[in-house]
Amino acid sequence: FFQKTLTAVKTWFTLFGWSKGQNPISIPYSLRRDVCIVQLTLAQEKNFTRKVDKDKGFYEMLLHLNGHPLPGIAPCQSLPPNPVERVFQLHWQHSELLSFLKSQGAYLSHVMPEFLLAPEDYKIWTEVNAGLRVGSMRSSGKLSVKRIFILEDKTFETMSKRAWTDVLLQIYKVFVLPRVSSRIVPDPSSLESLQNMPGIKSEPLCSNIYSRYERTILIWLNKHYEKNRKIVWKDSQRGGIPPMRWIVNFDQDLLDGLVLAAQIAAYCPYLIPTHFIKMYTDPRTHEQFLHNSLILVKALHAVSLDMDIKV
């Protein structure tokens, strides 16, 4: 599941994260490299390989999605050549990044700034801080309350990949999802068939799981599914019209492909006789779920919405 999530995140940010077209990224490798944009002399450049196009840096991507630069950090950031000073500045930048995203509504309390560092910088950071902690204990005779996680290389890479993926997911949530306008989504209670179904409220404090923008999308999914299920599958070849359902999440309720097919059919009704009537409307086996997923992907390909989608 995590690998599929990582692939989806990488694909979206590669296609839409930058203002000047596509920019292939890898998580966490290119992101860790791209926050290290440096301005060096020619002599220093020979010994410092982590240099990237300033228009493709991580903070340029953040500027494009947010519309404003990160407070206190320029998109093209100069870093000191001294390794220890560079690591402490990067750690400070990551701390500022996480604090800023949290202030915008991101859930990142589990991500520590040091997990966003490159492996060689993480080693320097742990060595220096472990030394400072021991020195403080010797001089004061008291235990340091600051906890330092010293991870093995393989464990750190796993943690870093997860941390950067979560950062990108939260960036998407706080900067991209708010562009969804609730004004274009009619109230689902206006549909007679939905009047007996529990509603989904879009007010900010109605859920501690989904944001108001995510709940707006859930409203949209419920509306189109209930409106179109009897239209799309009235001539179904595999099970008849699917039953009414209440769509409350983005994983379990979308697994069988029917909800997504109903959304696509609302805008591309010509796909109904060629694709969607062949779907199982009450799938129960893994083979039937796969069958529906394959039809859904073929339908997306038919309207040129490939985006490297895999079943």
Side-chain angles (χ1 to χ4, degrees), residues 220-229 262-263 266-267:
W220 174 70
L221 291 173
N222 276 284
K223 169 186 175 292
H224 278 304
Y225 176 75
E226 186 54 36
K227 179 180 178 180
N228 293 320
R229 65 185 178 90
Q263 315 311 308
Y267 302 96

Side-chain angles (χ1 to χ4, degrees), residues 15 97 110 129 153 166 205 222 225 229 259:
L15 294 175
L97 169 67
H110 62 292
N129 276 276
D153 292 348
D166 289 345
L205 300 180
N222 276 284
Y225 176 75
R229 65 185 178 90
V259 174

Side-chain angles (χ1 to χ4, degrees), residues 115 122 125-127 130 133 147-152 155-156:
F115 295 155
Y122 174 73
W125 187 87
T126 54
E127 289 171 0
R133 183 184 183 191
R147 188 173 183 182
I148 301 173
F149 290 92
I150 301 179
L151 307 176
E152 297 179 353
T155 304
F156 172 76

